[in-house]
Amino acid sequence: MAKQLRGNLLLLFAALIWGVAFVAQSAGMEFLGPFSFQFVRFMLGGVVLLPVIWLLDRRKKDGKTYWSRWKDPRLLKSGLLCGVVLFFATNLQQLSLLYTSAGKAGFLTAMYIVMVPLLGLFFRRRVGGKTWLGVLLAICGLYLLSFSNLSGVNRGDLYALGGAFAFACQITAVDCLAKDLDAVRLNCLQTLICGVLCGVVMAFTEKPTVAAVLDCWLPICYAGVFSLAVGYTLQILCQQQTGSAVAALLMSMESVFAALAGWLILHEKLSGRELWGCALVFLAAVLAQLPAKKAGSPACCIRKK
């Protein structure tokens, strides 16, 4: 229980990092196109992890070398799958902002908190009533936090929902594939693969300049080093200790942290409605910490002997 609680607290810390990253991404987009910004930050995040992995390997006494540990077929396949899914998730979310409001896109993207437990049912992951109650509270909170008005469905809304489904797939994939894998290596692989895919699209759609990259070096460094290298490594490590449905609930706290970061850093105002939304999402996160009967492991997470 103590180990799981520590993992949940670290996942909340990752949500804090991602919440502040919304400010960094907003600032970076003033200088670079969406795929250019994504390409630079993903490649930076992946490259930063390489020496970290080398330092961590020096403490291991399993007889393997730095390079031989990269040759694990399961690691390579898992990194490729997670990287491709993360590419669609992050870029569908980014594209949605071209056609719909940030609040609406944020709310629809956060619907992964519903999709994750539903996807888990396909892998025999039982979800308790406490978790579903937390999901309901989080949805209500996110609605109050994100929506200022209800408008018709547009193309951006569909992109945001597609991004939510892709995020749900990424969370589920980590839950199923990362139980006994090197978390830092897996994150490094998924980050570099996502960066390469962003670079391919960037080459055909945008023309970034070195000057533009240098002009937004601070947002890029935060979004690359902290949001990707640190945040997603914590996600993988923590999901090795907790279920995907609970992880999704805790990660939804990034919306609360994003609102608070906007208030503290960008001096944006928080209405009473938005404060109530923050409170409900926070309550859902607290509910996720309460002890519950241990759920059965999904079929895809059973180790082969």
Side-chain angles (χ1 to χ4, degrees), residues 134-212:
V135 168
L136 179 61
L137 286 173
I139 291 173
C140 294
L142 289 166
Y143 180 84
L144 292 174
L145 185 59
S146 304
F147 265 120
S148 58
N149 58 72
L150 188 62
S151 57
V153 177
N154 58 39
R155 188 190 306 181
D157 301 335
L158 298 179
Y159 283 146
L161 283 173
F165 180 72
F167 276 119
C169 289
Q170 191 267 349
I171 294 168
T172 304
V174 168
D175 187 59
C176 291
L177 302 173
K179 290 299 181 183
D180 55 352
L181 292 177
D182 185 326
V184 187
R185 268 186 169 81
L186 179 57
N187 186 32
C188 182
L189 279 173
Q190 75 167 0
T191 300
L192 290 175
I193 288 168
C194 187
V196 169
L197 293 174
C198 290
V200 171
V201 179
M202 176 196 71
F204 289 97
T205 60
E206 298 170 4
K207 295 181 179 179
T209 64
V210 174

Side-chain angles (χ1 to χ4, degrees), residues 18 36 41 62 67 75 81 83 92 121 143 145 175 181 202 216 229-230 232 241 258 278 291 294 300:
W18 292 329
S36 300
R41 80 176 184 116
D62 56 3
W67 295 109
L75 175 68
L81 175 62
L92 282 171
L121 295 177
Y143 180 84
L145 185 59
D175 187 59
L181 292 177
M202 176 196 71
C216 62
V230 177
Y232 278 97
Q241 308 299 330
C278 290
K294 189 175 180 180
C300 62

Side-chain angles (χ1 to χ4, degrees), residues 8-305:
N8 289 350
L9 292 175
L10 288 174
L11 199 52
L12 282 174
F13 181 60
L16 171 61
I17 292 173
W18 292 329
V20 178
F22 277 102
V23 176
Q25 288 176 254
S26 176
M29 291 292 289
E30 296 179 6
F31 301 91
L32 291 169
F35 289 104
S36 300
F37 184 82
Q38 295 278 65
F39 167 71
V40 178
R41 80 176 184 116
F42 271 95
M43 296 307 294
L44 175 63
V47 169
V48 163
L49 286 173
L50 291 174
V52 175
I53 294 169
W54 179 76
L55 289 173
L56 291 174
D57 279 358
R58 296 185 64 184
R59 302 172 59 184
K60 298 176 181 177
K61 306 296 182 182
D62 56 3
K64 296 181 181 179
T65 66
Y66 176 82
W67 295 109
S68 65
R69 291 189 181 94
W70 286 104
K71 296 179 182 179
D72 182 351
R74 287 186 56 239
L75 175 68
L76 296 175
K77 291 177 182 177
S78 300
L80 177 61
L81 175 62
C82 291
V84 171
V85 174
L86 188 60
F87 166 78
F88 283 105
T90 56
N91 288 292
L92 282 171
Q93 180 191 50
Q94 197 69 42
L95 287 172
S96 72
L97 295 173
L98 298 176
Y99 304 98
T100 192
S101 67
K104 197 174 183 184
F107 173 76
L108 293 173
T109 299
M111 286 302 97
Y112 65 72
I113 63 175
V114 179
M115 298 175 184
V116 167
L118 290 176
L119 282 174
L121 295 177
F122 288 99
F123 301 109
R124 303 177 187 176
R125 169 72 78 183
R126 294 190 297 273
V127 179
K130 175 176 70 69
T131 301
W132 283 115
L133 176 59
V135 168
L136 179 61
L137 286 173
I139 291 173
C140 294
L142 289 166
Y143 180 84
L144 292 174
L145 185 59
S146 304
F147 265 120
S148 58
N149 58 72
L150 188 62
S151 57
V153 177
N154 58 39
R155 188 190 306 181
D157 301 335
L158 298 179
Y159 283 146
L161 283 173
F165 180 72
F167 276 119
C169 289
Q170 191 267 349
I171 294 168
T172 304
V174 168
D175 187 59
C176 291
L177 302 173
K179 290 299 181 183
D180 55 352
L181 292 177
D182 185 326
V184 187
R185 268 186 169 81
L186 179 57
N187 186 32
C188 182
L189 279 173
Q190 75 167 0
T191 300
L192 290 175
I193 288 168
C194 187
V196 169
L197 293 174
C198 290
V200 171
V201 179
M202 176 196 71
F204 289 97
T205 60
E206 298 170 4
K207 295 181 179 179
T209 64
V210 174
V213 173
L214 294 177
D215 284 339
C216 62
W217 68 271
L218 185 57
I220 287 174
C221 286
Y222 184 90
V225 176
F226 289 97
S227 180
L228 295 174
V230 177
Y232 278 97
T233 297
L234 288 177
Q235 178 209 350
I236 297 170
L237 284 170
C238 297
Q239 278 195 240
Q240 292 174 342
Q241 308 299 330
T242 190
S244 57
V246 173
L249 265 178
L250 295 175
M251 285 188 280
S252 70
M253 277 292 292
E254 71 175 291
S255 298
V256 173
F257 292 132
L260 294 176
W263 173 58
L264 290 171
I265 300 173
L266 301 180
H267 306 293
E268 296 174 346
K269 293 183 179 180
L270 283 176
S271 66
R273 170 194 176 102
E274 290 168 328
L275 289 173
W276 273 110
C278 290
L280 285 176
V281 178
F282 180 75
L283 180 60
V286 171
L287 188 63
Q289 309 302 309
L290 299 180
K293 292 182 179 180
K294 189 175 180 180
S297 297
C300 62
C301 294
I302 299 175
R303 297 184 190 179
K304 296 182 179 179
K305 298 295 184 182

